[in-house]
Amino acid sequence: MAVTEGALLATVAMTARPRLARSAVAVLAIAMLPSQLWMGQLARHTQQIADQTALGVAVGVLATTQPLGETLPEEVTAALPSLRARQAAMYAWPQTRLLGRVPGRDEGTVIAARNWQVQPVENRLDGPGAHVTFAADTPAQRLVIVDAGGRAIGLAVPDRGTAPHGWSGWVRGDIAAAGLRVIAIASD
């Protein structure tokens, strides 16, 4: 693509009729705008799918209804042991390292969260899991979800597709919304 754009710019720069060439380039740019906007929207959607998949598998939940784009569920599950063993990708996140244990007071700050919704899902991985949504006012990139006993059971990311301050994530286990809290860790 860059070669084509470069050739087009060189042609415009060297033409005997620069005004006509600039007009033609402007018309072409306007004609291509819908295509470019659509590609940007597709890229954002693909990124959201990747983010939610990474978030879910970090927690241990890969819902059967979770869109995976062009990735097959078997490919995701086959890659997990290697990624986990190497502490790579989502397993390198500091929030993931808290899962399954009670974080110490110095490991995070409790963030006020409201409007909890917990939707159990059929999990492709072992054990029960749920998709959660809630609202929280924080600039954090990821939040750790803890149960009533203080144990880290899930993760969430901002969900720009919902109401302002919306968050979306995954938790392991049969969990009710009552008693759930979120914490932001300092290294985020």
Side-chain angles (χ1 to χ4, degrees), residues 54-148:
L55 193 69
V57 297
V59 172
V61 178
L62 185 59
T64 57
T65 57
Q66 170 69 22
L68 299 176
E70 295 183 18
T71 306
L72 298 173
E74 298 80 27
E75 293 172 339
V76 173
T77 56
L80 295 182
S82 178
L83 292 172
R84 189 179 297 118
R86 289 179 175 78
Q87 295 293 295
M90 60 279 189
Y91 296 109
W93 297 341
Q95 296 88 349
T96 305
R97 294 187 192 118
L98 296 179
L99 292 172
R101 65 182 187 85
V102 176
R105 292 182 197 271
D106 61 335
E107 290 183 284
T109 304
V110 175
I111 304 295
R114 60 197 178 281
N115 304 331
W116 284 93
Q117 299 290 318
V118 177
Q119 180 66 45
V121 297
E122 187 178 338
N123 190 3
R124 287 184 171 117
L125 305 176
D126 293 330
H131 182 253
V132 298
T133 58
F134 57 92
D137 303 323
T138 177
Q141 294 178 14
R142 275 182 225 96
L143 294 174
V144 178
I145 303 169
V146 296
D147 64 14

Side-chain angles (χ1 to χ4, degrees), residues 148-169:
R151 187 174 51 95
I153 59 167
L155 300 173
V157 292
D159 186 348
R160 304 297 181 226
T162 61
H165 312 291
W167 288 76
S168 175

Side-chain angles (χ1 to χ4, degrees), residues 18-40:
R19 176 175 258 169
L20 179 62
R22 284 192 299 267
S23 297
V25 169
V27 168
L28 182 61
I30 291 169
M32 292 180 63
L33 187 60
S35 159
Q36 295 302 309
L37 293 174
W38 182 85
M39 289 302 292

